[in-house]
Amino acid sequence: MNDELLTTFDEHGKITGSAPRSVVHRLGLWHETFHCWLVSREPDAGLSIWLQLRSTQKRDYAGLLDITAAGHLLSHETTEDGLRELEEELGITVPFAALHPLGIIPYTMDTEGFLDRERANVFLHETALPLKAFNLQPEEVAGLVTASFADFRGLWEGKLPAIRIRGFRVEGDRRSAIDEEVGTGSFVPHEQTYYRKIIAGIADAFT
């Protein structure tokens, strides 16, 4: 995975060349990613947002809640190729035309030995699929949950200390139910501005 070749950019979005993924993260070079957030409408509960639970096998942010499906765009790939993340991580097929684009959101995550500067191509997708329709990639995703979008918004706006998530966790060949309360510490530490832009985009598109 670390030897994947990524296109690199300057801070203005101009292509500067390409480099292996490990070098991109070590040097903090700007690169492109694909993010897709799923939402759904429940008859009695309103709009829900879907979150993946990262595998405990992941080197970075293991076991934390994150974007429904996301990944790096390789140097030879287009944005549309990012759809493979939905297929690989979640086991579902979604046509590109069914995605709602939010554009490119640049942001940075800085942790010890790891400087991630992403130009995230962000999309939304409204799904009507039930949880049981998803087949997760265990090396990447340990579980899938939903939360009330209103609560998710309240959490990241500082109005709620915690929100309830419901879904399932994969443990070997078994699925076990998840029904618990989580705070912001249970999420991958994307910049607050990133979460707020996602919330604003979902609100504009679906509420």
Side-chain angles (χ1 to χ4, degrees):
M1 290 290 288
N2 284 340
D3 291 327
E4 295 170 337
L5 199 63
L6 309 181
T7 300
T8 58
F9 300 81
D10 64 17
E11 63 271 24
H12 305 294
K14 181 179 179 181
I15 294 175
T16 57
S18 61
R21 176 175 171 175
S22 57
V23 174
V24 165
H25 285 156
R26 178 165 52 83
L27 298 181
L29 303 177
W30 286 98
H31 58 285
E32 281 195 309
T33 55
F34 173 89
H35 294 184
C36 187
W37 292 83
L38 298 189
V39 298
S40 60
R41 299 179 192 273
E42 307 297 333
D44 299 322
L47 191 67
S48 294
I49 187 168
W50 295 57
L51 306 162
Q52 75 159 251
L53 181 65
R54 290 170 66 87
S55 170
T56 56
Q57 301 175 41
K58 296 287 286 182
R59 186 188 69 176
D60 308 303
Y61 312 118
L64 295 182
L65 296 166
D66 202 2
I67 303 153
T68 326
H72 291 83
L73 290 176
L74 306 184
S75 58
H76 65 277
E77 291 184 314
T78 65
T79 305
E80 190 168 347
D81 289 318
L83 286 170
R84 64 177 163 75
E85 299 297 339
L86 291 163
E87 297 171 2
E88 293 174 0
E89 294 188 353
L90 305 182
I92 62 171
T93 300
V94 177
F96 192 67
L99 301 184
H100 178 88
L102 291 188
I104 295 176
I105 300 178
Y107 73 98
T108 299
M109 288 197 295
D110 188 359
T111 57
E112 186 176 350
F114 184 86
L115 180 56
D116 195 14
R117 287 183 172 143
E118 295 190 13
R119 290 173 50 81
N121 294 268
V122 182
F123 296 88
L124 310 175
H125 175 64
E126 183 176 357
T127 184
L129 293 173
L131 279 167
K132 64 182 181 181
F134 292 79
N135 294 301
L136 308 184
Q137 182 182 18
E139 300 83 10
E140 299 287 332
V141 186
L144 191 64
V145 300
T146 64
S148 157
F149 172 67
D151 289 351
F152 181 82
R153 184 175 193 169
L155 179 69
W156 289 104
E157 289 178 348
K159 298 175 182 177
L160 292 175
I163 61 173
R164 182 165 295 279
I165 57 171
R166 295 181 174 90
F168 68 89
R169 178 184 286 104
V170 176
E171 298 170 325
D173 296 329
R174 292 192 316 110
R175 291 188 176 190
S176 58
I178 295 174
D179 185 350
E180 59 191 60
E181 289 198 347
V182 296
T184 56
S186 295
F187 288 78
V188 170
H190 300 291
E191 290 180 340
Q192 288 268 349
T193 54
Y194 172 82
Y195 279 115
R196 288 170 182 161
K197 286 177 181 177
I198 298 306
I199 290 166
I202 293 174
D204 287 344
F206 299 109
T207 62

